[in-house]
């Protein structure tokens, strides 16, 4: 399996996030991607390619132009106020209380963000754009005949929706890639999100559509971020009704319990008749993840890859979360090697 | 003029707030009320009374039971997770993205809060309840015949709406008092908000009502917190159409410019035929306020009180913001002495 990777991800290097009442060192850090690419290389998983530049067009097919333009200029507007530290929002629009777009950068941050954990830095836009190009480059490999490819995206994407960002995500790499499959002729595309957290951005982006089936396995939002969305009764709307599936699982979920939900998801994908499969590959289901509470072990990731291979579809793996950094390389590549049955 | 005050405000003593990208010492601190009560006493403004206990009924007339119950138990739920530091939200529901009430205290915080600057501490609920009782006790003085009274409320209230809290506010003391005037027979009540910040909670609470006229003079939300609401074209809805007025003013506003807007507001109040007037008294319009950018000077607050007196209405002053702490006593009492023309 070939991997697409760019060192531009290092340009996203936020210092702090507000998480559960504390202002702490950002969990989403450059070392995450470095340890994964090191493992890709040391295991000789396959060739490593740099990304091509696809421009903004494929991004704007799924993202609001206002969000994209905001992300492009946010750091400059922030820095113009004299601030040299990372940009975080501190106030947000309450449902029912109005949501006007202020001229102020602080107002814009709160307008577009869903959390105070996703810092915008001087290099954020270049890293974000590169991450989307990594996904699109890997998508192209699969669309042009490769059985599978690995988009080593950073920053991740599945919490970013059509017009909001957050959860360490700015643009939805998996969603952008799924749309590219559609635009290149695939009639039906499935996105399977195996990150520990609910893929709220992906859900929102495709909720009213039946041409992209979205399924998320995740920690129950009753207990976990992102809290407000990700419940089992959210099944799509309008033409998309029946084309979204949430499989929330409780804290403490181990491989046995996880695999029941996974098999259910894979059956639905088979029944749907997807022509391409995008995996939002988060590894924060790991038993030692510092911000998560599932109990998957190192060897389980090999099994996860095997199961995904049973779907027998052209498959694009897109990197999402995973914060047990030192284990992230092994766990990620275990999925990919499991997929290749080696 | 008599002042109602309780030392219970000291129970609200948050350590940090997230503001404009930095995690910093909370601006809304016990010293604010202490310096005001000291000035009330040293100027012999009038008798100082403690609050009576009015229970939850007058609060529940304007606030959602869910918010009130949340505020009552939030610290206990937070502490039950093992955390000993203040509770702040870090993720919030995006308009259009669902707003389910999670079982998780972190989800509940984001559900009810509008910012990450309003810490919930072990003593918050007692301080909040006491602050509401301070407002209601002072309201009772005015409703039963006194020309005016000063509710030295802390925490403040005007950013709290029927079902949300934030901006250092938890329950809307001025709104609760206005409702009490209505329930005790006043046909029409006016709330005039002279805090530097838009009274978004007050606006939301009475937006569809014509029996409480609400007017806010404040820094333009294009430039300032709370950003998403407070524009001039928000004039009320339904039966309340025409009974809300926003007078946004630019950074740098001085007394001359301020007084034009103030006179406009007072004319509207006279035309409305209010039977009681509630002043949301913020002093963060002061030229040396650390988080604000208006240019009112110490002597202007005396003039502000004089102008308010011209309305010749039973008047309840309710303490809101003001963060130039050492000047806060003089500025606040200047308004009250200006009102009494002494
Ligand atoms: Zn995750
Ligand atoms: Zn204020």
């Amino acid at each position: 399996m070939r991997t697409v990777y760019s060192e531009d991800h290092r340009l996203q290097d936020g210092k702090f996030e507000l998480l559960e009442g504390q202002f702490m060192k950002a969990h989403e850090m450059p070392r995450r991607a470095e340890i994964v690419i090191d493992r890709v290389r040391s295991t000789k998983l396959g060739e490593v390619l740099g990304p091509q530049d696809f421009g903004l067009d494929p991004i704007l097919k799924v993202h609001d132009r206002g969000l994209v333009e905001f992300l492009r200029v946010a750091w400059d507007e922030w820095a113009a106020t004299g601030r040299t530290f990372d940009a975080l929002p501190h106030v947000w629009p309450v449902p029912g209380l109005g949501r006007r777009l202020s001229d102020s950068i602080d107002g814009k941050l709160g307008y577009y963000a869903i959390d105070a954990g996703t810092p915008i830095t001087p290099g954020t836009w270049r890293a974000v754009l590169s991450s989307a190009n990594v996904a699109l480059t890997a998508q192209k490999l699969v669309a042009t005949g490769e059985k599978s490819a690995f988009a080593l995206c950073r920053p991740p994407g599945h919490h970013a929706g059509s017009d909001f960002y957050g959860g360490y995500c700015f643009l939805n790499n998996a969603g952008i890639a799924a749309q590219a499959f559609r635009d290149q002729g695939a009639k039906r595309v499935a996105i399977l999100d195996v990150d520990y957290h609910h893929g709220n951005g992906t859900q929102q982006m495709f909720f009213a559509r039946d041409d992209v089936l979205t399924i998320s396995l995740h920690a129950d939002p009753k207990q976990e971020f992102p809290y407000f969305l990700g419940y089992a009764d959210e099944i799509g709307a309008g033409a998309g009704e029946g084309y979204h599936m949430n499989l929330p699982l409780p804290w403490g979920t181990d491989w046995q319990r996880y695999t029941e939900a996974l098999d259910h998801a894979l059956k639905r994908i088979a029944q749907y008749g997807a022509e391409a499969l995008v995996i939002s590959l988060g590894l924060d289901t790991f038993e030692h993840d510092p911000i998560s509470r599932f109990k998957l072990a190192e060897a389980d990731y090999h099994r996860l890859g095997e199961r995904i291979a049973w779907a027998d579809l052209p498959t694009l793996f897109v990197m999402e979360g995973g914060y047990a950094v030192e284990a992230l390389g092994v766990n990620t590549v275990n999925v990919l090697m499991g997929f290749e049955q080696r």
Side-chain angles (χ1 to χ4, degrees), chain A residues 86-118:
Chain A
D86 299 350
L88 287 174
H90 64 102
V91 53
W92 49 87
V94 165
L97 186 58
R99 190 195 183 201
R100 303 277 283 255
L101 187 56
S102 177
D103 294 344
S104 158
I105 180 62
D106 294 276
K108 290 179 186 173
L109 286 162
Y111 181 94
Y112 285 115
I114 66 167
D115 74 3
T118 311

Side-chain angles (χ1 to χ4, degrees), chain A residues 131-340:
Chain A
S131 191
N133 280 323
V134 164
L136 285 163
T137 304
Q139 181 275 334
K140 195 174 170 187
L141 295 178
V142 176
T144 56
E146 298 201 17
K147 171 71 185 172
S148 63
F150 175 38
L152 209 179
C153 293
R154 188 182 165 271
H158 73 140
H159 294 305
S162 61
D163 62 350
F164 58 85
Y165 76 98
Y168 316 149
C169 302
F170 299 89
L171 294 176
N172 195 317
N173 306 307
I176 292 164
Q179 181 65 43
F181 276 117
R182 282 284 295 119
D183 292 334
Q184 290 160 28
K187 287 203 175 60
R188 287 173 300 280
V189 180
I191 302 177
L192 173 62
D193 188 327
V194 297
D195 189 278
Y196 174 78
H197 301 96
H198 172 241
N200 54 344
T202 308
Q203 171 171 329
Q204 181 265 354
M205 187 170 269
F206 297 106
F207 205 59
R209 289 173 55 171
D210 61 1
D211 59 334
V212 179
L213 172 72
T214 47
I215 302 181
S216 181
L217 276 73
H218 51 265
D220 195 328
K222 279 187 190 169
Q223 297 178 307
E224 271 293 359
F225 184 99
Y227 303 113
F228 312 109
L229 206 73
Y231 296 84
D233 60 0
E234 297 156 5
I235 60 165
E241 194 175 320
Y243 297 92
H244 179 74
M245 186 187 285
N246 284 324
L247 296 165
L249 296 162
W251 281 343
T253 288
D254 60 7
W255 174 250
Q256 195 182 335
R257 179 133 195 194
Y258 193 84
T259 199
E260 289 169 25
L262 180 64
D263 288 353
H264 188 60
L266 290 168
K267 268 181 204 152
R268 177 73 185 96
I269 289 165
Q271 177 208 33
Y272 175 65
E275 297 175 11
L277 177 60
V278 178
I279 304 293
S280 267
L281 183 57
L283 288 302
D284 37 11
T285 48
F286 184 48
E287 56 187 341
H288 301 306
D289 194 275
I291 61 173
S292 306
R293 302 204 197 184
F294 279 5
K295 297 290 166 209
L296 268 59
E298 204 178 283
D300 295 331
Y301 291 106
H302 199 279
R303 295 187 188 108
L304 174 59
E306 276 183 359
R307 298 262 175 159
I308 292 168
W310 294 351
D312 196 25
L313 287 170
T315 301
L316 172 64
F317 291 92
V318 177
M319 189 79 198
E320 302 283 3
Y323 307 98
V325 178
E326 296 312 308
L328 190 59
V330 170
N331 290 343
T332 304
V333 177
N334 273 6
V335 176
L336 306 175
M337 301 215 303
F339 182 87
E340 296 196 322

